[in-house]
Amino acid sequence: MIYTITFNPALDYIVRLDHLKTGTINRTEQEYILGGGKGINVSIVLKNLGMDTTALGFIAGFTGQEIVRQLNSFGVRENFIRLREGLTRINVKVKASDEETEINGRGPIVSNFELQELYTQLNSLTADDTLILAGSIPSSLPSNMYEIIMERLANKGIRIVVDATKDLLTRVLPYKPFLIKPNNHELSEIFGIPLNTTEDLINAAHTLQSRGAQHVLISMAGDGAILVAANGTVYTSPAPSGTLINSVGAGDSMVAGFMTGYTKTGDLQESLYWGIAAGSASAYSENLATLPEVEKLLKGIKG
């Protein structure tokens, strides 16, 4: 089973309009509400690709119940901890023709008792399971939440995937995550210098491996992706051609695609192809990647 954790999920209220003018009334041309959060996105794409997955994390109130309803509509299994107080946050995303504006909610407070419930869930994981840690940590939880979890699970043989930024990523490296997925810009932020060439990125990946990471998957948007394997082998894949429609969720989809390919084949090059195809399928659509979309792009990538 592949488990994901989303510590701070949200309902994304997305509105599109021709032009945003502050200080007055604006009328939308399109609007929709999507359950969001990196782990949730990963679980949806995993299920779309035919994988068994369970979404873990915290939800609260009627907004949390809407996320559950949407996950159920995708057929995703969930075992969220229902918080006793507060509401799952709402993020407002305003997309105008000339600019985009976001207002992100803070989210509910997670009590220590509710956090212990999560630890109890994680105690049941075995070496047959994969755990994907993705996204930010709410202010009510310890900032080293990922480290705490990985330390607790260190001797269980669980494959752990981490998709996070800056310190949240680098601080878990001593616990030897199975896979990390920074993009090229995030790597530059981690090292504090521009990493402009493939060689720069590969060298950065090797440095992260020297600190404990096993496989390093580097996404580069339209320039494809690089996988630096634990044994030092470098795999590459171009991005398939297509028109960018919505980049939100593309990185999460790449993680889901990679783990789908790895679970199906155990082959790292094939896993990379699945990752880039799933990430691109989401980027080229208003919605998250589906299996027919991914299979079509796979054929183009492999030639």
Side-chain angles (χ1 to χ4, degrees):
M1 175 69 70
I2 302 177
Y3 293 88
T4 66
I5 300 181
T6 305
F7 285 102
N8 205 11
L11 281 181
D12 289 342
Y13 177 51
I14 305 166
V15 299
R16 295 184 181 275
L17 60 163
D18 183 58
H19 178 70
L20 175 64
K21 186 176 181 181
T22 60
T24 186
I25 295 174
N26 295 268
R27 301 197 181 278
T28 64
E29 296 179 351
Q30 287 181 308
E31 55 188 78
Y32 41 100
I33 298 175
L34 298 176
K38 291 180 70 64
I40 287 172
N41 292 340
V42 173
S43 275
I44 290 173
V45 176
L46 283 168
K47 185 62 178 179
N48 286 349
L49 300 183
M51 305 303 295
D52 286 332
T53 179
T54 299
L56 304 177
F58 303 98
I59 59 166
F62 76 95
T63 47
Q65 287 305 314
E66 173 59 17
I67 288 178
V68 170
R69 187 195 68 78
Q70 291 188 20
L71 282 176
N72 288 341
S73 73
F74 284 102
V76 174
R77 186 184 293 109
E78 59 83 16
N79 196 14
F80 288 118
I81 292 163
R82 273 65 173 173
L83 302 181
R84 292 154 182 77
E85 296 182 7
L87 294 172
T88 292
R89 63 192 178 131
I90 297 176
N91 295 338
V92 180
K93 301 179 183 292
V94 181
K95 300 179 181 290
S97 58
D98 53 348
E99 62 180 346
E100 295 187 6
T101 300
E102 296 190 12
I103 304 173
N104 290 343
R106 295 184 60 184
I109 294 175
V110 179
S111 70
N112 185 63
F113 176 80
E114 290 155 342
L115 182 56
Q116 294 302 318
E117 289 186 60
L118 176 66
Y119 293 154
T120 299
Q121 289 179 336
L122 296 178
N123 287 340
S124 67
L125 271 61
T126 72
D128 293 327
D129 296 318
T130 296
L131 177 64
I132 298 175
L133 303 174
S136 62
I137 306 297
S139 58
S140 63
L141 292 177
S143 61
N144 62 339
M145 194 73 253
Y146 284 5
E147 297 164 80
I148 293 172
I149 288 174
M150 294 185 72
E151 183 177 20
R152 293 177 67 94
L153 301 179
N155 298 318
K156 301 190 72 170
I158 300 164
R159 283 196 297 257
I160 299 182
V161 178
V162 180
D163 182 9
T165 59
K166 297 183 179 178
D167 291 349
L168 201 57
L169 176 63
T170 57
R171 282 157 47 179
V172 303
L173 297 180
Y175 300 97
K176 303 186 185 306
F178 172 76
L179 176 74
I180 61 174
K181 194 213 71 64
N183 63 38
N184 52 335
H185 302 298
E186 289 165 349
L187 277 181
S188 294
E189 290 179 357
I190 287 172
F191 288 94
I193 58 173
L195 302 174
N196 298 319
T197 69
T198 298
E199 183 180 4
D200 290 340
L201 296 172
I202 293 172
N203 288 337
H206 286 317
T207 299
L208 296 180
Q209 289 174 322
S210 72
R211 299 179 187 175
Q214 297 182 50
H215 305 298
V216 181
L217 176 58
I218 305 168
S219 56
M220 303 182 294
D223 293 325
I226 300 169
L227 173 68
V228 182
N231 65 4
T233 303
V234 177
Y235 301 88
T236 62
S237 174
S241 59
T243 301
L244 176 63
I245 295 177
N246 182 16
S247 63
V248 175
D252 310 327
S253 301
M254 177 176 282
V255 171
F258 182 93
M259 293 311 301
T260 297
Y262 189 82
T263 303
K264 287 177 178 289
T265 71
D267 181 88
L268 291 174
Q269 181 68 73
E270 190 72 12
S271 303
L272 179 59
Y273 288 149
W274 273 86
I276 193 70
S280 298
S282 289
Y284 300 159
S285 170
E286 287 283 4
N287 302 306
L288 293 171
T290 64
L291 183 58
E293 292 170 334
V294 171
E295 290 178 332
K296 181 179 179 180
L297 292 178
L298 274 172
K299 292 178 181 178
I301 293 170
K302 296 179 181 181

